[in-house]
Amino acid sequence: MKIGCPKEIKPQEFRVGMTPNAAFEAVTNGHQVFIETGAGIGAGFDDAAYAEAGATIVATPAEIFSTADMIVKVKEPQAAERKMLREGQILFTYLHLAPDPDQTADLVASGATCIAYETVTDRAGGLPLLAPMSEVAGRLAPQVGAWTLQKANGGRGVLMGGVPGVGPARVTVIGGGVVGTHAARIAAGMGADVTVLDRSLARLRYLDDVFGGVFKTSYASVGNTIELAREADMIIGAVLIPGAAAPKLISRAQLSELKPGAALVDVAIDQGGCFETSKATTHQDPVYEVDGIMHYCVANMPGAVARTSTIALGNATMPFMLALANKGWKQACADDPHLRAGLNVHAGQITYAAVAEALGLTSITADQAIAS
C-alpha cells in the first residue's frame, strides 16, 4: 500500500501523523511511505530521518493526496485537504465529526473511507488512540489553567499552591476519565485543592482507592457541579461521550455565579466543548473572556508539546495503521471489532450512529459498510 503523511496545516499544529519509526515499520512490511517535506520538523524529525527510514520525501500535499492509498494525519483534514480526498482512499486521523457538519459533509461527498482515532476501542472498553492525547491534554490543563489565572492574563491572580498563610487554588475537574485523572494528579501536584466530579460510582471508588490522599471526589449531580464550580478558581472540563457532542455542563447564565476571573479550561472543545460559552481557540490566541470569566479552549492542546505527543500517538496508532495497510480496510475492520468501531464514514455514508444523531443525519452500520 502507498501510505502518505502530509504536513499538518491547522494553525499552530506541530505534530505529525507518522514518526520515522512508524515509517520504517511500514516500509519493513513492504509498503511505500510518502512524507511531505518538513512534515516532521515541528516534532523534531527532519526529512533525513524519514529518508533513512525508507520513506520518499515529496514537495507538496497535492502529491501526497494524489499518490497515497491511505492518508495518515493527526488533526481532522482542513477544507483544502478535504477537496483532495478521493473515492476509495483511506483517511486515518482524528475527525471529531459530531460538532463539525461542514467536515462531515465534505468527507461524505469525497467517497473516502474515514477511520477516526477517537472512536477506535479496546477490549477494556477504552479508547486507545485517544488515550495518549487525553493523557497529554489532561497533564497540560492545569499548566495552562495556572497561566490563565495570572492577573496579567485576565485571571484572578491566584497561585495554584498558595504560600504559607495563604490557601491554594481550588480546582474542580468535571469528568474522572483519562483527561480528568491526569489533570487532577498534576493540579494536586502543583499544590491545589482538587475535587474530581463523575457520574460513575465505580470510577469514583477507583479514584478514591488509588488517589484518595491526593485529591477528593464527588458525584456529578447538577447541584454538586454548580456548588463546586462556585467555589473554584479553575474548572477543567474533561467529559467525553465517544463520537458524540460533549454535554454542556455550565451555562452562560451560571457564569455570573462563578468567581470573577475564574479560569475555565475546556479539554472537550474538540467535541464541541462542555461549557455553553466555549469556542475553539488556538495556541497563538488561546484565552478569551465572557462575563468576567476566562476561557482557555485550544482545540489541539497536545500540539503545544509536539514531540512528546507525536511519539505517544505514533506508538498507539502504528499497529492499527499496519493492519489497515497489510490487510486493506475491509479485512482489517472485519477481523478487529475495535478498529471497526473507528469507521465513521465510508463511500458517501456515515457509519457511526452517534455522529449521525448529533448532526440529525442518517447512518448505516460499520458491518453494512464492510458487506457492501
Side-chain angles (χ1 to χ4, degrees):
M1 183 176 283
K2 296 177 180 178
I3 305 170
C5 178
K7 185 176 182 179
E8 298 292 324
I9 60 173
K10 190 163 186 172
Q12 289 81 54
E13 180 52 72
F14 306 108
R15 291 172 290 178
V16 61
M18 290 182 73
T19 63
N21 278 341
F24 182 72
E25 291 272 352
V27 170
T28 301
N29 275 260
H31 306 294
Q32 293 177 270
V33 176
F34 299 87
I35 306 288
E36 183 181 349
T37 185
I41 294 298
F45 301 115
D46 60 20
D47 290 350
Y50 288 102
E52 187 176 345
T56 300
I57 308 301
V58 300
T60 67
E63 291 177 75
I64 295 285
F65 281 86
S66 64
T67 301
D69 303 306
M70 176 165 62
I71 301 292
V72 178
K73 284 178 41 60
V74 178
K75 292 304 292 178
E76 68 280 357
Q78 303 301 290
E81 295 172 312
R82 300 196 295 265
K83 292 177 182 177
M84 293 187 281
L85 288 168
R86 63 178 188 275
E87 185 175 351
Q89 197 167 44
I90 302 168
L91 174 65
F92 192 37
T93 189
Y94 287 117
L95 292 176
H96 300 293
L97 294 177
D100 195 343
D102 291 340
Q103 184 196 175
T104 304
D106 286 349
L107 295 186
V108 167
S110 74
T113 297
C114 306
I115 300 172
Y117 293 163
E118 73 272 10
T119 62
V120 173
T121 58
D122 62 21
R123 292 179 182 177
L127 302 170
L129 305 191
L130 189 62
M133 297 304 92
S134 295
E135 291 163 353
V136 171
R139 292 183 178 217
L140 273 175
Q143 290 183 212
V144 299
W147 181 86
T148 304
L149 275 177
Q150 294 178 30
K151 194 65 180 177
N153 300 320
R156 286 178 50 73
V158 173
L159 183 65
M160 288 287 276
V163 292
V166 182
R170 291 189 175 184
V171 176
T172 296
V173 181
I174 307 177
V178 176
V179 170
T181 301
H182 283 265
R185 286 180 60 192
I186 297 302
M190 296 171 77
D193 178 354
V194 182
T195 302
V196 177
L197 289 157
D198 202 279
R199 283 184 175 268
S200 167
L201 291 176
R203 185 64 182 176
L204 291 176
R205 290 190 186 99
Y206 168 81
L207 293 174
D208 187 65
D209 287 343
V210 177
F211 301 105
V214 178
F215 53 78
K216 296 171 284 189
T217 61
S218 185
Y219 186 74
S221 64
V222 174
N224 268 348
T225 300
I226 190 58
E227 181 179 347
L228 284 165
R230 289 188 191 111
E231 299 172 356
D233 299 294
M234 182 192 306
I235 302 168
I236 297 173
V239 297
L240 174 71
I241 301 174
K248 301 295 186 269
L249 302 177
I250 294 180
S251 68
R252 176 159 192 163
Q254 289 171 325
L255 294 186
S256 63
E257 302 180 49
L258 307 184
K259 293 179 178 179
L264 302 187
V265 181
D266 198 339
V267 189
I269 192 64
D270 273 330
Q271 294 293 127
C274 59
F275 309 128
E276 186 181 4
T277 44
S278 292
K279 61 181 181 181
T281 59
T282 67
H283 292 291
Q284 189 173 15
D285 189 16
V287 177
Y288 62 94
E289 176 266 333
V290 179
D291 296 344
I293 305 302
M294 306 310 296
H295 294 59
Y296 184 102
C297 302
V298 173
N300 60 331
M301 284 177 61
V305 286
R307 187 170 179 85
T308 297
S309 298
T310 292
I311 295 171
L313 181 60
N315 291 341
T317 58
M318 185 163 54
F320 294 99
M321 177 196 71
L322 291 175
L324 290 167
N326 290 342
K327 299 178 179 181
W329 79 268
K330 275 196 177 185
Q331 192 61 52
C333 289
D335 290 349
D336 185 352
H338 303 297
L339 180 58
R340 186 162 67 242
L343 188 64
N344 277 216
V345 175
H346 169 66
Q349 293 180 294
I350 297 172
T351 56
Y352 198 86
V355 168
E357 183 178 348
L359 297 173
L361 302 171
T362 59
S363 65
I364 63 171
T365 67
D367 287 339
Q368 288 173 314
I370 292 170
S372 64

